[in-house]
Amino acid sequence: MTDIAMIEAAALRAQGRVRRTPLLSSQFLDEIAGRRVLGKAEVLQHTGAFKFRGGWAAVSALAPEVRARGVIAFSSGNHAQGVALAAKLHEVPAVIIMPSDAPRMKIDNTRALGAEVVLYDRAGEDRDAIGARLSEERRLTLIKPFDEPQVIAGQGTCGLEIAEQAAEEGVTHADVRVCFGGGGLTSGVALALEARAPGLRVRPTEPEGFDDTARSLAAGEILRNAALSGSICDAIVTPAPGQITFPIMQRLCGPGLVVTEDEVLHAMALAFARF
């Protein structure tokens, strides 16, 4: 299981590869919120998302002879690009299984990074079954998008940075709202903050209609979403929290938060204008 030692080891392997992204602030947003707001700008990470952290951590942790055979992953786009770039930098093959309704730019970018893209119908096909078959046929190592200890460790490097940057800003107590799909980033950040900044509490944040984690945390058991698509937050639409990530969140996270699509769009516009 992922722990702070694994996160610290992932951070060492990430040196010179993973960007230390800034913590942004805006007096304008502070006034609207009635409190201090700091934004961790992971959009400035390689491939435009935090997912490169987990992709690099997982690929770099493989034994050289295993890594040389190649890796396989499934993703709606961000994990796909993160793993594809990590594989490219290690000069090993990558196969990425993506839903056919994923944003065209993410599909094109994944191919441009050198990965072989296999498309599937998320409503009628099982990506896990496709991944298992291709992994066995080609002897590829499967890198899951969130329920994978090394991926969680890689995402946890973001939490180490948050702890350092919050301390630099004089912040010792705060809610840390983390966008939530399956829980790799949320659980990794929570583990890092437990060790480095225990006054910072993670709050999983999800789009309305896909709030499986908020409901699961309230119920004390894993609950699933009724729908598998239909949100503009395409990168974090997953069926349910992970089997590995959920117990970490039960132990370390506060109650989940749910936002409407109008609130998401409003926040995007404010971030664009004020950051």
Side-chain angles (χ1 to χ4, degrees), residues 17-19 45-47 49-57 78-79 81-83 85-87 89 155:
R17 293 294 187 179
V18 173
R19 289 175 178 155
Q45 191 54 258
H46 297 296
T47 71
F50 70 90
K51 289 287 191 175
F52 177 68
R53 295 178 183 271
W56 178 264
N78 289 337
H79 180 62
Q81 294 171 84
V83 171
L85 179 56
L89 293 172
Q155 319 306 25

Side-chain angles (χ1 to χ4, degrees), residues 34-243:
R35 66 180 67 187
R36 194 174 183 189
V37 177
L38 298 169
K40 181 68 167 158
E42 281 295 287
V43 292
L44 301 179
Q45 191 54 258
H46 297 296
T47 71
F50 70 90
K51 289 287 191 175
F52 177 68
R53 295 178 183 271
W56 178 264
V59 175
S60 63
L62 294 173
E65 65 276 12
V66 174
R67 185 167 58 232
R69 294 199 297 265
V71 296
I72 185 170
F74 40 77
S75 166
S76 64
N78 289 337
H79 180 62
Q81 294 171 84
V83 171
L85 179 56
K88 180 179 181 179
L89 293 172
H90 281 94
E91 300 182 342
V92 301
V95 176
I96 310 294
I97 303 164
M98 302 183 70
S100 56
D101 63 347
R104 176 54 55 182
M105 179 178 290
K106 291 182 178 180
I107 295 173
D108 292 344
N109 286 350
T110 303
R111 287 182 172 138
L113 289 168
E116 174 188 346
V117 174
V118 176
L119 299 177
Y120 76 100
D121 176 7
R122 82 165 93 202
E125 293 183 283
D126 184 349
R127 70 179 187 179
D128 295 279
I130 296 170
R133 175 176 58 80
L134 291 175
S135 298
E136 184 175 355
E137 288 176 356
R138 306 192 192 183
R139 299 180 67 209
L140 304 171
T141 298
L142 175 63
I143 299 178
K144 296 180 180 179
F146 50 84
D147 238 9
E148 160 57 50
Q150 286 293 352
V151 169
I152 295 170
Q155 319 306 25
T157 64
C158 183
L160 295 181
E161 293 177 17
I162 291 171
E164 294 170 359
Q165 292 166 318
E168 292 167 2
E169 294 285 341
V171 177
T172 57
H173 290 79
D175 276 352
V176 180
R177 299 188 176 194
V178 182
C179 53
F180 189 95
L185 179 64
T186 304
S187 56
V189 169
L191 286 167
L193 295 181
E194 177 190 31
R196 297 289 185 85
L200 307 186
R201 180 182 63 163
V202 170
R203 300 285 301 276
T205 306
E206 300 169 293
E208 190 176 51
F210 299 90
D211 57 342
D212 46 294
T213 300
R215 291 184 290 107
S216 296
L217 288 172
E221 61 178 334
I222 292 178
L223 301 177
R224 299 179 66 84
N225 287 321
L228 297 177
S229 62
S231 171
I232 60 169
C233 304
D234 61 276
I236 55 172
V237 173
T238 52
Q243 296 292 328

